[in-house]
Amino acid sequence: CYQGKKIDTRMQISALLRETLEKTKEYLAKKEAGKDVAYDQKLEAMIPVVKRELPLKCHAHRADDILTAIRIAKEENIKITLDHVTDARCILPQIKESGFPCICGPALTHKSKFELANMSFETPNELYKAGILFSIITDSPVIPQQYLSLSAALAAKAGLPEHEAIKAITINPAKILGLDNRVGSIKVGKDADFVICTKNILDTQNEIQSVYVDGKKAA
């Protein structure tokens, strides 16, 4: 996505992120002061980030990139999610100390680039043992979303407790998105979006029997 923009190194990407965050803060300060400021769509999109209303999605596979994202988030006082975290097992204490959640995956794919050298279904269990909030993803359309439960099942096969594997595709992502008051589990007052299956959701022989949306049968 940086082709033709003369951004060739990780240091340049970090500098661009810092610059964007600082420009957003200046832009917001002028708006709040009632000054005449030209509308900037990109900076408008970043305002909820600098106001800590939304997390910045930081896509990072390598340990050094993950640590850079954490460092910038701390410096700029913003919330982030750490997406992919292929090398997370190398820096578990630093991720735990940061308090930022991890969105782990996809692992159901080829090691198609250098950054994926340490890709493993064992990573979710290491995050769990370290007490780090995490979810499992397919990164659809990289891996079709219908393979989400399979990805969780393979994480369970690699050591993640079965109950935690189910949480990693239900309540955990809801918590990370700040939507756990509505979805992610079955509880009075929530949206009542759920499926009824013939077997455990992690069983590859499982079939979805019916689908409910807002408590009403949809399929």
Side-chain angles (χ1 to χ4, degrees):
C1 61
Y2 294 119
Q3 289 182 356
K5 297 183 180 179
K6 296 183 179 179
I7 299 175
D8 306 308
T9 68
R10 283 173 159 78
M11 287 185 291
Q12 287 175 305
I13 294 172
S14 299
L16 177 61
L17 176 55
R18 284 192 172 93
E19 180 183 12
T20 301
L21 289 167
E22 290 305 315
K23 283 184 176 179
T24 304
K25 290 177 181 179
E26 293 174 7
Y27 178 80
L28 177 60
K30 289 178 181 178
K31 287 189 64 174
E32 291 180 337
K35 295 182 179 179
D36 187 20
V37 56
Y39 178 80
D40 189 310
Q41 189 175 31
K42 291 183 179 180
L43 298 183
E44 286 284 342
M46 290 294 290
I47 286 176
V49 173
V50 300
K51 293 177 74 173
R52 294 179 58 83
E53 295 171 351
L54 288 176
L56 183 68
K57 306 287 288 177
C58 295
H59 291 240
H61 291 281
R62 286 178 21 168
D64 55 346
D65 292 333
I66 298 168
L67 292 174
T68 296
I70 291 172
R71 183 170 65 252
I72 292 175
K74 294 293 187 180
E75 291 173 359
E76 300 289 342
N77 190 31
I78 61 172
K79 296 189 291 184
I80 64 172
T81 63
L82 298 168
D83 298 18
H84 304 310
V85 292
T86 303
D87 284 353
R89 289 178 292 169
C90 306
I91 50 171
L92 289 170
Q94 293 93 326
I95 295 175
K96 172 66 174 177
E97 189 277 332
S98 77
F100 297 128
C102 291
I103 298 175
C104 190
L108 193 65
T109 184
H110 294 293
K111 295 182 179 181
S112 56
K113 52 188 175 182
F114 175 77
E115 287 82 357
L116 300 180
N118 296 320
M119 182 176 67
S120 172
F121 279 107
E122 295 177 1
T123 301
N125 189 42
E126 296 302 316
L127 292 168
Y128 163 67
K129 290 192 296 183
I132 296 167
L133 177 62
F134 73 96
S135 65
I136 292 173
I137 61 167
T138 63
D139 204 24
S140 178
V142 176
I143 304 299
Q145 63 186 17
Q146 59 262 39
Y147 297 119
L148 181 60
S149 59
L150 175 59
S151 298
L154 290 170
K157 184 179 180 181
L160 183 65
E162 186 176 277
H163 183 59
E164 295 301 324
I166 294 174
K167 287 170 61 177
I169 58 174
T170 53
I171 190 62
N172 286 4
K175 288 179 178 178
I176 292 171
L177 292 171
L179 296 173
D180 53 306
N181 63 319
R182 289 184 51 195
V183 297
S185 63
I186 300 174
K187 188 177 180 180
V188 174
K190 290 195 174 185
D191 287 3
D193 300 336
F194 58 91
V195 296
I196 296 177
C197 303
T198 57
K199 295 185 178 181
N200 186 318
I201 192 70
L202 303 182
D203 191 320
T204 57
Q205 301 300 313
N206 168 62
E207 293 182 3
I208 294 177
Q209 212 168 44
S210 52
V211 178
Y212 286 79
V213 178
D214 282 334
K216 298 178 181 179
K217 191 173 182 179

